[in-house]
Amino acid sequence: MSLLLVLATQAIPVQQSEITVADYCQLTRALMQLSVQEWEERVDAATQNKNDRKKLAQKLDEVTERNKSLRDEMYRRYGMNPKDELRYASAHADEIKSYLEENPDVGQSIDSLKGRINTLIERFEAATSPTEGAQR
């Protein structure tokens, strides 16, 4: 588990009604870091099980389950769930935009994580593209 993920899960719990834009951005970065970790695991599983679709599906299920519990814990610490996160982002879009403009390092970090996630997804898709002779 990465240091950032450990630090994020050690965050002081906050109630959704008390969450600040800074808290929201911290949660976003922590969730994105978790997504990077999850996609790295997916790429590894796809690479190691390229010719065995059944085993790959099993490994991907394991990755999903493991990371779901980590994600759920992260949300719990912030007193939120995925729907709450979307509602908060929608209700506070202008404040989030202003915060990111005032804190460009946070925005750059989020953009960097987004780029890393997209790259990992592309690697995963390339690793899972059908090949002749693969077991189904």
Side-chain angles (χ1 to χ4, degrees):
M1 192 179 321
S2 72
L3 179 59
L4 178 61
L5 184 57
V6 170
L7 292 174
T9 58
Q10 298 298 323
I12 298 170
V14 294
Q15 297 301 315
Q16 182 187 356
S17 60
E18 299 171 14
I19 194 168
T20 65
V21 171
D23 292 332
Y24 172 82
C25 289
Q26 182 180 2
L27 172 61
T28 298
R29 285 180 8 183
L31 288 168
M32 291 179 81
Q33 181 61 42
L34 179 59
S35 290
V36 166
Q37 179 180 319
E38 183 173 358
W39 280 105
E40 286 172 343
E41 291 179 44
R42 289 177 177 282
V43 168
D44 288 345
T47 302
Q48 294 171 10
N49 300 286
K50 188 172 185 123
N51 294 320
D52 188 342
R53 294 286 184 190
K54 195 173 191 175
K55 189 170 181 181
L56 173 58
Q58 177 187 357
K59 294 293 183 183
L60 293 176
D61 287 345
E62 291 169 9
V63 169
T64 298
E65 190 58 36
R66 182 174 43 258
N67 285 285
K68 180 187 179 315
S69 63
L70 292 171
R71 189 171 286 106
D72 289 347
E73 175 62 19
M74 217 174 283
Y75 277 119
R76 187 191 65 72
R77 291 190 178 274
Y78 283 86
M80 298 181 90
N81 62 47
K83 287 181 183 179
D84 294 334
E85 180 193 11
L86 291 174
R87 276 187 230 126
Y88 187 92
S90 178
H92 297 86
D94 292 338
E95 295 107 314
I96 293 168
K97 181 179 177 187
S98 294
Y99 179 84
L100 293 174
E101 288 170 355
E102 294 167 9
N103 298 276
D105 57 317
V106 176
Q108 289 168 356
S109 175
I110 290 171
D111 288 342
S112 175
L113 288 165
K114 187 186 311 180
R116 181 76 178 126
I117 292 166
N118 289 337
T119 298
L120 288 164
I121 290 170
E122 289 172 7
R123 286 181 53 203
F124 175 80
E125 289 173 346
T128 58
S129 63
T131 58
E132 289 186 39
Q135 295 180 15
R136 302 213 188 279

